[in-house]
Amino acid sequence: DNEKAVAESSLVILCCLHTHLLAVSKSIQGKIPRGTLLLSMVAGVSRTRLCQLCGTDAILFVTLPASEKLAPLLSSPSPPPPSAQQTPKLCSDLGNAGTEREKERERR
């Protein structure tokens, strides 16, 4: 329920496709309390238009860099090679904690 969520929030994050913006903004227009900040992640919509649609002027925008600048940030670095000292822990290496707990439960 967008109306209830907006009414109870001090920060509203608006993140939807621009094709859904009219429906979303209609559901929250006039419901954003004074002092609530709207953080918009909707691409291609001006501040003026968002003010009209959402009924508030307390709006911040998040802009992402161009895709060619973003790609290196999204690629994960290759994991470091395991050292000779690092060995994976097997369940059997973790001790008998599970069995001890089961015995304790049985005693009760």
Side-chain angles (χ1 to χ4, degrees):
D1 181 14
N2 289 338
E3 184 177 333
K4 183 179 178 186
V6 166
E8 297 174 354
S9 301
S10 57
L11 172 66
V12 175
I13 300 173
L14 183 62
C15 184
C16 65
L17 295 172
H18 68 280
T19 54
H20 298 159
L21 181 59
L22 288 177
V24 172
S25 63
K26 188 174 185 176
S27 71
I28 64 173
Q29 188 176 37
K31 312 293 190 301
I32 301 172
R34 187 172 201 81
T36 297
L37 184 62
L38 179 74
L39 177 64
S40 174
M41 299 182 76
V42 181
V45 182
S46 71
R47 183 182 190 285
T48 304
R49 182 71 176 137
L50 275 178
C51 289
Q52 294 168 346
L53 292 173
C54 297
T56 184
D57 60 356
I59 298 175
L60 290 177
F61 285 87
V62 173
T63 56
L64 296 174
S67 60
E68 65 272 359
K69 293 180 183 177
L70 189 59
L73 299 174
L74 298 176
S75 63
S76 60
S78 56
S83 70
Q85 296 174 347
Q86 292 177 328
T87 56
K89 294 284 184 191
L90 303 174
C91 293
S92 59
D93 294 338
L94 299 177
N96 295 326
T99 343
E100 293 300 319
R101 284 188 208 120
E102 290 171 6
K103 287 179 185 176
E104 181 64 27
R105 278 189 220 137
E106 288 173 7
R107 281 184 243 157
R108 293 181 192 168

